[in-house]
Amino acid sequence: MGARAHGAGAMSALPLALTMGDPAGIGPEITAGAWERLRENGPVFAWLGDPACLPAAVPVQEIEEIGEASVVFAEALPVLPMRLSVPVRAGEPDSANAQTVIDSIARAVGLARAGAAGGVVTNPISKAVLRRAGFPHPGHTEFLAELCHVPGREVMMLASPMLRVVPVTIHVSLRDALGMLDETMIVETARMTAQALKRDFGIASPRLAIAGLNPHAGEGGMMGREEIETIIPAIECLRAEGLDVQGPMPPDTMFTQTARKRYDAALCMYHDQALIPLKTLDMANGVNVTLGLPIVRTSPDHGTAFDIAGKGVAEPQSLVAALRLAGELAHNRQVFEKGESA
Protein backbone atom coordinates (compact mmCIF):
# COMPACT_ATOMS: atom_id res chain seq x y z
CA MET A 1 0.00 0.00 0.00
CA GLY A 2 1.13 3.54 -0.64
CA ALA A 3 2.69 5.45 2.24
CA ARG A 4 0.61 8.62 2.13
CA ALA A 5 -0.58 10.50 5.18
CA HIS A 6 -4.02 9.98 6.63
CA GLY A 7 -6.33 12.71 5.44
CA ALA A 8 -4.26 13.46 2.33
CA GLY A 9 -7.42 13.08 0.24
CA ALA A 10 -10.69 15.00 0.23
CA MET A 11 -12.44 15.60 3.54
CA SER A 12 -16.00 15.15 4.72
CA ALA A 13 -18.17 18.22 4.18
CA LEU A 14 -19.88 17.55 7.51
CA PRO A 15 -18.21 18.15 10.89
CA LEU A 16 -17.00 15.12 12.80
CA ALA A 17 -18.32 14.31 16.27
CA LEU A 18 -15.45 13.81 18.76
CA THR A 19 -16.48 12.16 22.02
CA MET A 20 -15.30 13.26 25.43
CA GLY A 21 -13.58 10.06 26.50
CA ASP A 22 -12.61 9.75 30.15
CA PRO A 23 -12.24 13.38 31.27
CA ALA A 24 -9.55 12.44 33.83
CA GLY A 25 -7.36 11.01 31.09
CA ILE A 26 -5.48 12.74 28.30
CA GLY A 27 -8.60 13.19 26.14
CA PRO A 28 -9.10 16.89 26.93
CA GLU A 29 -5.41 17.66 26.32
CA ILE A 30 -5.13 15.84 23.02
CA THR A 31 -8.44 17.31 21.88
CA ALA A 32 -7.03 20.79 22.40
CA GLY A 33 -3.77 19.78 20.70
CA ALA A 34 -5.61 18.27 17.74
CA TRP A 35 -7.66 21.43 17.28
CA GLU A 36 -4.47 23.54 17.29
CA ARG A 37 -3.01 21.39 14.51
CA LEU A 38 -6.17 21.15 12.42
CA ARG A 39 -7.80 24.56 12.87
CA GLU A 40 -6.45 25.93 9.58
CA ASN A 41 -6.81 22.89 7.32
CA GLY A 42 -9.40 20.63 8.99
CA PRO A 43 -11.17 18.34 9.14
CA VAL A 44 -13.67 20.29 11.19
CA PHE A 45 -14.88 18.61 14.38
CA ALA A 46 -16.92 19.38 17.48
CA TRP A 47 -16.10 17.99 20.91
CA LEU A 48 -18.96 16.52 22.94
CA GLY A 49 -17.99 17.15 26.54
CA ASP A 50 -17.67 19.46 29.51
CA PRO A 51 -15.65 22.55 28.57
CA ALA A 52 -14.59 22.93 32.21
CA CYS A 53 -12.08 20.09 31.83
CA LEU A 54 -10.36 21.49 28.73
CA PRO A 55 -6.97 23.22 29.10
CA ALA A 56 -7.49 26.87 30.02
CA ALA A 57 -5.31 28.10 27.16
CA VAL A 58 -7.56 26.75 24.39
CA PRO A 59 -10.29 29.13 23.12
CA VAL A 60 -13.69 27.42 23.35
CA GLN A 61 -16.99 28.21 21.67
CA GLU A 62 -20.08 26.41 22.95
CA ILE A 63 -22.53 25.59 20.15
CA GLU A 64 -26.08 24.28 20.04
CA GLU A 65 -25.96 22.37 16.75
CA ILE A 66 -22.98 20.49 15.30
CA GLY A 67 -23.40 22.32 11.99
CA GLU A 68 -22.20 25.49 13.72
CA ALA A 69 -18.75 23.96 14.15
CA SER A 70 -17.65 24.93 10.66
CA VAL A 71 -18.33 28.61 11.37
CA VAL A 72 -16.22 28.86 14.51
CA PHE A 73 -13.56 26.18 13.96
CA ALA A 74 -10.77 28.45 12.73
CA GLU A 75 -11.03 30.66 15.82
CA ALA A 76 -12.16 28.36 18.63
CA LEU A 77 -12.70 24.72 19.54
CA PRO A 78 -16.42 24.02 19.00
CA VAL A 79 -18.01 22.27 21.99
CA LEU A 80 -21.44 20.67 22.28
CA PRO A 81 -21.58 20.96 26.08
CA MET A 82 -22.27 17.92 28.25
CA ARG A 83 -21.84 18.71 31.94
CA LEU A 84 -20.10 16.30 34.28
CA SER A 85 -21.55 15.24 37.63
CA VAL A 86 -18.41 15.95 39.69
CA PRO A 87 -15.31 18.09 39.08
CA VAL A 88 -12.43 16.39 37.29
CA ARG A 89 -8.97 15.85 38.72
CA ALA A 90 -6.49 14.83 36.04
CA GLY A 91 -5.25 11.29 36.49
CA GLU A 92 -7.97 10.42 39.03
CA PRO A 93 -10.94 8.86 37.19
CA ASP A 94 -14.30 8.93 38.92
CA SER A 95 -17.12 6.57 38.01
CA ALA A 96 -19.57 9.30 39.04
CA ASN A 97 -18.82 10.85 35.65
CA ALA A 98 -19.24 7.59 33.74
CA GLN A 99 -22.79 8.28 32.57
CA THR A 100 -21.77 11.52 30.86
CA VAL A 101 -18.93 9.68 29.13
CA ILE A 102 -21.43 7.07 27.90
CA ASP A 103 -23.94 9.74 26.88
CA SER A 104 -21.26 11.52 24.84
CA ILE A 105 -20.70 8.36 22.79
CA ALA A 106 -24.42 7.80 22.28
CA ARG A 107 -24.97 11.43 21.25
CA ALA A 108 -22.10 11.31 18.74
CA VAL A 109 -23.48 8.13 17.17
CA GLY A 110 -26.93 9.69 16.99
CA LEU A 111 -25.54 12.72 15.15
CA ALA A 112 -23.76 10.51 12.63
CA ARG A 113 -26.74 8.23 12.09
CA ALA A 114 -28.97 11.27 11.54
CA GLY A 115 -26.61 12.61 8.88
CA ALA A 116 -25.62 15.68 10.92
CA ALA A 117 -22.03 14.49 11.51
CA GLY A 118 -19.71 12.98 8.93
CA GLY A 119 -18.48 10.37 11.38
CA VAL A 120 -17.57 9.60 14.97
CA VAL A 121 -14.09 9.82 16.50
CA THR A 122 -13.82 8.47 20.02
CA ASN A 123 -11.42 9.66 22.70
CA PRO A 124 -10.06 6.93 25.00
CA ILE A 125 -12.26 5.54 27.76
CA SER A 126 -11.46 3.42 30.81
CA LYS A 127 -13.35 0.14 30.61
CA ALA A 128 -12.77 -0.45 34.34
CA VAL A 129 -14.23 2.93 35.31
CA LEU A 130 -17.31 2.41 33.14
CA ARG A 131 -17.75 -1.15 34.38
CA ARG A 132 -17.89 0.06 37.99
CA ALA A 133 -20.80 2.27 36.90
CA GLY A 134 -22.66 -0.71 35.41
CA PHE A 135 -21.59 -0.37 31.75
CA PRO A 136 -22.22 -3.88 30.33
CA HIS A 137 -20.07 -3.75 27.21
CA PRO A 138 -16.44 -4.94 26.85
CA GLY A 139 -15.53 -1.64 25.22
CA HIS A 140 -16.31 1.08 22.72
CA THR A 141 -16.69 -1.16 19.69
CA GLU A 142 -19.41 -3.41 21.05
CA PHE A 143 -21.36 -0.42 22.38
CA LEU A 144 -21.15 1.31 19.01
CA ALA A 145 -22.40 -1.81 17.24
CA GLU A 146 -25.38 -1.96 19.61
CA LEU A 147 -26.15 1.74 19.11
CA CYS A 148 -26.07 1.14 15.35
CA HIS A 149 -28.26 -1.98 15.65
CA VAL A 150 -25.61 -4.29 14.14
CA PRO A 151 -24.28 -6.21 17.17
CA GLY A 152 -21.81 -8.93 16.25
CA ARG A 153 -20.97 -7.46 12.86
CA GLU A 154 -18.22 -5.13 14.07
CA VAL A 155 -14.66 -5.74 12.84
CA MET A 156 -11.58 -3.94 14.14
CA MET A 157 -8.96 -2.55 11.77
CA LEU A 158 -5.77 -0.80 12.81
CA ALA A 159 -4.59 1.48 10.02
CA SER A 160 -1.57 3.66 9.41
CA PRO A 161 0.02 5.01 6.22
CA MET A 162 2.41 2.03 6.34
CA LEU A 163 0.10 -0.88 7.11
CA ARG A 164 -3.51 -1.95 7.66
CA VAL A 165 -4.22 -4.98 9.83
CA VAL A 166 -7.41 -6.77 10.86
CA PRO A 167 -7.32 -9.34 13.69
CA VAL A 168 -9.88 -12.10 13.18
CA THR A 169 -10.06 -12.76 16.93
CA ILE A 170 -9.58 -9.72 19.15
CA HIS A 171 -9.76 -9.21 22.92
CA VAL A 172 -9.56 -12.80 24.13
CA SER A 173 -6.72 -14.89 25.51
CA LEU A 174 -4.50 -16.65 23.01
CA ARG A 175 -5.83 -20.00 24.25
CA ASP A 176 -9.42 -18.86 23.66
CA ALA A 177 -8.52 -17.38 20.26
CA LEU A 178 -7.27 -20.76 19.08
CA GLY A 179 -10.53 -22.37 20.17
CA MET A 180 -12.69 -19.70 18.51
CA LEU A 181 -10.94 -19.55 15.15
CA ASP A 182 -12.85 -21.22 12.34
CA GLU A 183 -13.36 -20.98 8.60
CA THR A 184 -16.59 -18.98 8.85
CA MET A 185 -14.99 -16.34 11.07
CA ILE A 186 -12.10 -15.86 8.64
CA VAL A 187 -14.40 -15.67 5.61
CA GLU A 188 -16.80 -13.16 7.20
CA THR A 189 -13.98 -10.96 8.45
CA ALA A 190 -12.34 -10.96 5.02
CA ARG A 191 -15.61 -10.07 3.30
CA MET A 192 -16.17 -7.16 5.69
CA THR A 193 -12.61 -5.96 5.19
CA ALA A 194 -12.83 -6.08 1.40
CA GLN A 195 -16.13 -4.19 1.46
CA ALA A 196 -14.65 -1.49 3.71
CA LEU A 197 -11.55 -1.11 1.54
CA LYS A 198 -13.82 -0.45 -1.46
CA ARG A 199 -16.41 1.76 0.24
CA ASP A 200 -14.35 3.69 2.77
CA PHE A 201 -10.77 3.59 1.51
CA GLY A 202 -11.58 4.02 -2.19
CA ILE A 203 -9.69 0.88 -3.30
CA ALA A 204 -11.56 -0.52 -6.29
CA SER A 205 -9.90 -3.96 -6.28
CA PRO A 206 -8.67 -4.67 -2.74
CA ARG A 207 -5.89 -7.20 -2.16
CA LEU A 208 -5.98 -9.18 1.08
CA ALA A 209 -3.12 -11.09 2.68
CA ILE A 210 -4.12 -13.78 5.16
CA ALA A 211 -1.63 -14.80 7.81
CA GLY A 212 -0.94 -18.34 8.85
CA LEU A 213 -1.37 -19.22 12.49
CA ASN A 214 1.69 -21.37 13.08
CA PRO A 215 5.43 -20.83 12.45
CA HIS A 216 6.18 -20.95 8.71
CA ALA A 217 2.39 -21.10 8.12
CA GLY A 218 2.41 -24.66 9.43
CA GLU A 219 5.16 -25.97 7.12
CA GLY A 220 2.73 -28.26 5.30
CA GLY A 221 1.27 -29.61 8.52
CA MET A 222 4.56 -30.27 10.29
CA MET A 223 4.02 -27.38 12.73
CA GLY A 224 0.25 -27.52 13.08
CA ARG A 225 -2.75 -28.31 10.91
CA GLU A 226 -4.81 -25.12 11.32
CA GLU A 227 -3.63 -23.84 7.95
CA ILE A 228 -4.67 -27.04 6.18
CA GLU A 229 -7.95 -27.57 8.01
CA THR A 230 -9.19 -24.00 8.57
CA ILE A 231 -7.26 -21.20 6.86
CA ILE A 232 -6.74 -22.66 3.37
CA PRO A 233 -10.43 -23.68 3.03
CA ALA A 234 -11.38 -20.10 3.96
CA ILE A 235 -8.99 -18.72 1.34
CA GLU A 236 -10.40 -21.06 -1.31
CA CYS A 237 -13.94 -19.93 -0.45
CA LEU A 238 -12.97 -16.27 -0.75
CA ARG A 239 -11.20 -16.81 -4.07
CA ALA A 240 -14.29 -18.60 -5.39
CA GLU A 241 -16.23 -15.39 -4.59
CA GLY A 242 -13.78 -13.42 -6.72
CA LEU A 243 -11.73 -11.79 -3.96
CA ASP A 244 -8.00 -11.20 -4.46
CA VAL A 245 -6.60 -13.17 -1.53
CA GLN A 246 -3.11 -14.52 -0.90
CA GLY A 247 -1.94 -16.85 1.82
CA PRO A 248 -1.60 -18.38 4.23
CA MET A 249 1.49 -16.23 4.56
CA PRO A 250 4.22 -16.92 7.15
CA PRO A 251 3.66 -14.27 9.84
CA ASP A 252 7.39 -13.67 10.31
CA THR A 253 7.91 -12.44 6.73
CA MET A 254 4.59 -10.92 5.61
CA PHE A 255 5.22 -7.51 7.19
CA THR A 256 8.52 -6.68 5.52
CA GLN A 257 8.67 -3.56 3.37
CA THR A 258 8.67 -5.63 0.18
CA ALA A 259 5.81 -7.89 1.26
CA ARG A 260 3.60 -4.99 2.33
CA LYS A 261 3.59 -3.62 -1.21
CA ARG A 262 1.67 -6.68 -2.40
CA TYR A 263 -1.51 -6.20 -0.34
CA ASP A 264 -3.87 -3.52 0.96
CA ALA A 265 -4.73 -5.14 4.29
CA ALA A 266 -3.50 -8.11 6.29
CA LEU A 267 -5.90 -10.44 8.10
CA CYS A 268 -4.27 -11.89 11.19
CA MET A 269 -5.44 -14.75 13.34
CA TYR A 270 -5.13 -13.11 16.76
CA HIS A 271 -4.70 -9.71 18.40
CA ASP A 272 -0.93 -9.44 18.88
CA GLN A 273 -0.12 -10.99 15.50
CA ALA A 274 -1.80 -7.91 13.99
CA LEU A 275 -0.98 -5.14 16.44
CA ILE A 276 2.70 -5.81 17.13
CA PRO A 277 3.82 -5.12 13.53
CA LEU A 278 1.60 -2.05 13.16
CA LYS A 279 2.66 -0.49 16.45
CA THR A 280 6.30 -1.29 15.77
CA LEU A 281 6.19 0.28 12.31
CA ASP A 282 4.05 3.35 12.96
CA MET A 283 2.42 3.63 16.38
CA ALA A 284 2.21 7.44 16.28
CA ASN A 285 -0.04 7.35 13.21
CA GLY A 286 -1.97 4.22 14.12
CA VAL A 287 -5.76 4.59 14.00
CA ASN A 288 -8.44 2.18 15.19
CA VAL A 289 -11.19 1.89 12.56
CA THR A 290 -14.41 -0.01 13.21
CA LEU A 291 -15.63 -1.80 10.09
CA GLY A 292 -19.15 -3.14 9.64
CA LEU A 293 -21.00 -0.11 11.02
CA PRO A 294 -23.41 2.11 9.07
CA ILE A 295 -21.33 5.10 10.24
CA VAL A 296 -17.65 5.99 10.07
CA ARG A 297 -15.83 5.48 13.38
CA THR A 298 -12.16 5.93 14.20
CA SER A 299 -10.17 6.39 17.38
CA PRO A 300 -6.57 6.97 18.42
CA ASP A 301 -4.57 3.81 19.01
CA HIS A 302 -3.82 4.39 22.70
CA GLY A 303 -5.54 4.53 26.06
CA THR A 304 -6.42 7.12 28.67
CA ALA A 305 -2.83 7.49 29.97
CA PHE A 306 -3.94 8.54 33.46
CA ASP A 307 -0.29 8.57 34.54
CA ILE A 308 0.54 11.60 32.37
CA ALA A 309 -2.87 13.32 32.30
CA GLY A 310 -2.75 16.99 33.18
CA LYS A 311 1.02 17.25 32.83
CA GLY A 312 0.97 18.91 29.42
CA VAL A 313 3.06 16.21 27.76
CA ALA A 314 0.37 14.15 25.97
CA GLU A 315 1.06 13.85 22.23
CA PRO A 316 -2.04 14.39 20.05
CA GLN A 317 -0.65 12.83 16.85
CA SER A 318 -2.73 9.64 16.96
CA LEU A 319 -5.92 11.65 17.51
CA VAL A 320 -4.95 13.98 14.66
CA ALA A 321 -4.48 10.90 12.46
CA ALA A 322 -7.85 9.50 13.60
CA LEU A 323 -9.63 12.75 12.76
CA ARG A 324 -7.95 13.09 9.38
CA LEU A 325 -8.71 9.50 8.48
CA ALA A 326 -12.35 9.80 9.61
CA GLY A 327 -12.76 12.84 7.39
CA GLU A 328 -11.31 11.00 4.43
CA LEU A 329 -13.34 7.82 5.02
CA ALA A 330 -16.56 9.81 5.34
CA HIS A 331 -15.87 11.51 2.01
CA ASN A 332 -15.00 8.21 0.30
CA ARG A 333 -18.13 6.53 1.64
CA GLN A 334 -20.32 9.37 0.37
CA VAL A 335 -18.75 9.13 -3.11
CA PHE A 336 -19.14 5.33 -3.12
CA GLU A 337 -22.78 5.43 -2.06
CA LYS A 338 -23.59 8.05 -4.69
CA GLY A 339 -22.03 5.78 -7.30
CA GLU A 340 -23.99 2.79 -6.05
CA SER A 341 -27.27 4.69 -6.26
CA ALA A 342 -26.58 6.21 -9.68
Side-chain angles (χ1 to χ4, degrees), residues 1-2 162-164 205-210 244-247 249-250 253-266:
M1 57 181 288
M162 299 182 70
L163 177 65
R164 302 184 190 99
S205 301
R207 303 164 299 164
L208 301 182
I210 298 188
D244 184 347
V245 179
Q246 53 184 302
M249 299 181 69
T253 59
M254 68 183 290
F255 300 108
T256 65
Q257 184 176 5
T258 300
R260 296 197 309 272
K261 294 177 182 178
R262 298 197 293 266
Y263 58 81
D264 300 301

Side-chain angles (χ1 to χ4, degrees), residues 186-187 190-191 210 233-243 245:
I186 297 169
V187 169
R191 287 172 180 159
I210 298 188
I235 291 171
E236 290 174 346
C237 175
L238 292 164
R239 286 175 176 163
E241 295 177 4
L243 294 181
V245 179

Side-chain angles (χ1 to χ4, degrees), residues 148-215:
C148 292
H149 305 294
V150 289
R153 287 180 53 81
E154 65 275 11
V155 170
M156 183 175 82
M157 171 186 281
L158 274 294
S160 86
M162 299 182 70
L163 177 65
R164 302 184 190 99
V165 293
V166 175
V168 176
T169 62
I170 308 178
H171 294 124
V172 294
S173 72
L174 183 56
R175 186 184 301 275
D176 288 344
L178 297 178
M180 292 170 57
L181 193 66
D182 61 22
E183 179 183 343
T184 298
M185 184 178 290
I186 297 169
V187 169
E188 291 181 351
T189 303
R191 287 172 180 159
M192 197 78 68
T193 303
Q195 179 189 40
L197 290 172
K198 286 182 179 181
R199 181 181 63 178
D200 296 340
F201 288 85
I203 300 172
S205 301
R207 303 164 299 164
L208 301 182
I210 298 188
L213 175 68
N214 298 299

Side-chain angles (χ1 to χ4, degrees), residues 7-341:
M11 291 287 104
S12 168
L14 294 172
L16 302 170
L18 175 61
T19 68
M20 178 164 55
D22 194 302
I26 61 171
E29 294 171 65
I30 61 175
T31 294
W35 173 77
E36 287 283 0
R37 295 192 186 185
L38 297 172
R39 57 184 295 190
E40 294 183 356
N41 59 359
V44 172
F45 65 89
W47 188 64
L48 282 61
D50 192 331
C53 60
L54 289 165
V58 64
V60 170
Q61 177 64 56
E62 294 190 21
I63 57 177
E64 295 184 1
E65 303 288 341
I66 194 169
E68 300 170 35
S70 300
V71 179
V72 305
F73 192 75
E75 303 299 329
L77 171 60
V79 175
L80 286 165
M82 302 187 69
R83 310 300 177 185
L84 293 166
S85 297
V86 298
V88 174
R89 296 184 64 178
E92 300 180 18
D94 192 329
S95 59
N97 284 324
Q99 190 58 53
T100 309
V101 173
I102 294 166
D103 291 345
S104 174
I105 300 167
R107 186 178 181 187
V109 170
L111 289 169
R113 295 194 69 207
V120 173
V121 181
T122 56
N123 263 311
I125 58 172
S126 168
K127 301 176 182 66
V129 172
L130 296 188
R131 193 174 298 118
R132 288 196 294 270
F135 187 65
H137 305 280
H140 258 133
T141 304
E142 295 81 4
F143 184 40
L144 290 161
E146 181 178 284
L147 290 170
C148 292
H149 305 294
V150 289
R153 287 180 53 81
E154 65 275 11
V155 170
M156 183 175 82
M157 171 186 281
L158 274 294
S160 86
M162 299 182 70
L163 177 65
R164 302 184 190 99
V165 293
V166 175
V168 176
T169 62
I170 308 178
H171 294 124
V172 294
S173 72
L174 183 56
R175 186 184 301 275
D176 288 344
L178 297 178
M180 292 170 57
L181 193 66
D182 61 22
E183 179 183 343
T184 298
M185 184 178 290
I186 297 169
V187 169
E188 291 181 351
T189 303
R191 287 172 180 159
M192 197 78 68
T193 303
Q195 179 189 40
L197 290 172
K198 286 182 179 181
R199 181 181 63 178
D200 296 340
F201 288 85
I203 300 172
S205 301
R207 303 164 299 164
L208 301 182
I210 298 188
L213 175 68
N214 298 299
H216 301 182
E219 197 76 64
M222 293 177 60
M223 299 183 186
R225 295 191 58 81
E226 286 85 359
E227 286 77 13
I228 293 172
E229 296 175 358
T230 302
I231 300 174
I232 291 175
I235 291 171
E236 290 174 346
C237 175
L238 292 164
R239 286 175 176 163
E241 295 177 4
L243 294 181
D244 184 347
V245 179
Q246 53 184 302
M249 299 181 69
D252 61 345
T253 59
M254 68 183 290
F255 300 108
T256 65
Q257 184 176 5
T258 300
R260 296 197 309 272
K261 294 177 182 178
R262 298 197 293 266
Y263 58 81
D264 300 301
L267 262 68
C268 301
M269 297 302 108
Y270 56 93
H271 181 278
D272 284 7
Q273 190 184 58
L275 271 63
I276 287 173
L278 183 132
K279 291 188 176 184
T280 300
L281 287 167
D282 198 13
M283 184 166 181
N285 291 300
V287 176
N288 187 331
V289 185
T290 304
L291 314 182
L293 301 180
I295 62 171
V296 168
R297 182 264 176 151
T298 68
S299 71
D301 186 23
H302 59 70
T304 53
F306 292 127
D307 57 324
I308 63 169
K311 297 180 180 179
V313 298
E315 170 54 54
Q317 179 54 39
S318 187
L319 178 57
V320 170
L323 288 158
R324 287 193 180 280
L325 184 58
E328 186 173 351
L329 299 186
H331 170 79
N332 290 343
R333 182 176 292 200
Q334 184 179 34
V335 170
F336 180 86
E337 290 175 349
K338 282 183 178 178
E340 289 282 286
S341 62

